Amino acid sequence: MSPRALIFDVDGTLADTEELHRRAFNEAFMLHGLDWNWSQELYAQLLRTAGGKERIAAFIDTLELSPLRRRQLLEQVPAIHGTKTALYTRLIDNGAAPLRDGVTRLLEEAHRDGVPLAIATTTTFANIEALLTASLGPDALQRFAAIGSAESVPRKKPAPDVYLHVLQALSLPAEDCVAFEDSANGLNAAKAAGVFTVVTPSYWTRDEPLQDADLLLPTLGSPDQPLPQDIAQAIGAPQISLSVLGELMQRSARSGRASA
Ligand code: XBP
Ligand code: MG
């Protein structure tokens, strides 16, 4: 058995992008005349709110402001976020975010074997386009059979909506697909949609509750950087491949049936 589609989150999963998002937010605040500066500590907390516009609004909620000033700032959110997206995509276009270990290898294996690839993210479509094009070349988007982004559904992760949207576009049942995530919001979204979920935490999400992942790994592994020995022994391989995923999905389906 092999998974019938691989569905990837973007930020933190395909590439470690959140530090670049943070820098772009801070530069956008400056350009809009705001004296806000999100430290790494604060940003780690703000990341619990998925979506950049929602994150700025959540931050405004924490400020002590008159009702008028709060309303004015909330009205500015789309413009601030537009500036942030322009700044962020420029950083990505310049190659600032390499794909995480094992990602290109697994994407290529799936492509070779005719297993559809998809994206399910809360990030803005322009950010996906910039990252995929910078790392995989000008025709990168065409390699993906379905792309769910911030613009695709109104409710962001941890709601399952973006996964349900992508599964519908793929015309595949959730239990035949694998999701790749890095965060609790992403894991909860994928699990709520019924998808087998592999989590590779990033610097930003490593302390989040991720124990419900079907598979929790430091990375996807590669010949140069194989998975730690205990994990490699448990899954029977030094890196994640389609056949390893198929075997683990089968194991999980069998144990689900046994405990039902
Ligand atoms: C990532 C996000 C995104 C980015 C910012 O979550 O929450 O909002 O931080 O992107 P996930 P935008 O990896 O779970 O999709 O500013 O474009 O929203
Ligand atoms: Mg993520």
Side-chain angles (χ1 to χ4, degrees):
M1 176 189 175
S2 190
R4 292 177 69 192
L6 304 185
I7 309 173
F8 288 86
D9 168 50
V10 174
D11 295 303
T13 301
L14 287 182
D16 214 338
T17 50
E18 285 303 349
E19 178 58 19
L20 300 172
H21 280 291
R22 188 182 74 90
R23 274 167 51 188
F25 278 115
N26 283 336
E27 217 174 313
F29 298 152
M30 206 175 63
L31 291 173
H32 285 262
L34 298 160
D35 65 355
W36 305 338
N37 195 293
W38 289 352
S39 66
Q40 290 193 336
E41 291 70 28
L42 176 59
Y43 194 62
Q45 289 167 32
L46 292 171
L47 271 177
R48 290 185 200 140
T49 304
K53 289 197 214 75
E54 291 79 356
R55 192 166 302 144
I56 301 171
F59 173 72
I60 293 171
D61 270 353
T62 67
L63 304 176
E64 271 190 45
L65 299 165
S66 69
L68 173 65
R69 182 66 184 141
R70 189 177 305 282
R71 212 175 42 249
Q72 285 172 339
L73 286 173
L74 286 172
E75 280 167 7
Q76 278 187 58
V77 169
I80 300 167
H81 188 258
T83 304
K84 178 258 168 181
T85 300
L87 294 165
Y88 173 80
T89 51
R90 201 172 314 151
L91 287 170
I92 296 291
D93 288 344
N94 292 333
L99 297 186
R100 286 186 68 182
D101 193 44
V103 169
T104 305
R105 176 187 57 72
L106 189 59
L107 292 176
E108 277 169 4
E109 187 191 351
H111 190 57
R112 233 184 6 254
D113 284 20
V115 173
L117 296 169
I119 297 283
T121 176
T122 64
T123 209
T124 304
F125 182 81
N127 300 348
I128 308 172
E129 188 174 24
L131 180 70
L132 292 179
T133 307
S135 44
L136 299 172
D139 66 341
L141 284 185
Q142 289 149 36
R143 296 200 208 171
F144 290 81
I147 296 185
S149 67
E151 294 86 348
S152 307
V153 288
R155 286 195 315 165
K156 294 191 173 163
K157 299 172 187 177
D161 304 27
V162 73
Y163 275 98
L164 298 174
H165 172 83
V166 165
L167 288 166
Q168 195 173 30
L170 292 169
S171 303
L172 287 173
E175 60 270 22
D176 290 351
C177 302
V178 177
F180 296 87
E181 280 286 354
D182 70 306
S183 69
N185 276 338
L187 169 64
N188 293 334
K191 294 298 290 176
V195 186
F196 183 94
T197 308
V198 179
V199 174
T200 50
S202 68
Y203 162 81
W204 298 95
T205 57
R206 62 196 168 167
D207 295 328
E208 292 186 358
L210 301 170
Q211 63 281 357
D212 287 346
D214 292 291
L215 194 55
L216 185 57
L217 302 169
T219 66
L220 298 178
S222 62
D224 288 348
Q225 285 173 274
L227 290 167
Q229 224 170 5
D230 55 331
I231 298 178
Q233 222 151 32
I235 65 172
Q239 60 187 27
I240 293 302
S241 62
L242 292 177
S243 61
V244 168
L245 290 169
E247 170 60 28
L248 293 171
M249 287 164 81
Q250 251 168 350
R251 257 195 239 172
S252 149
R254 275 198 300 269
S255 70
R257 276 199 300 275
S259 62

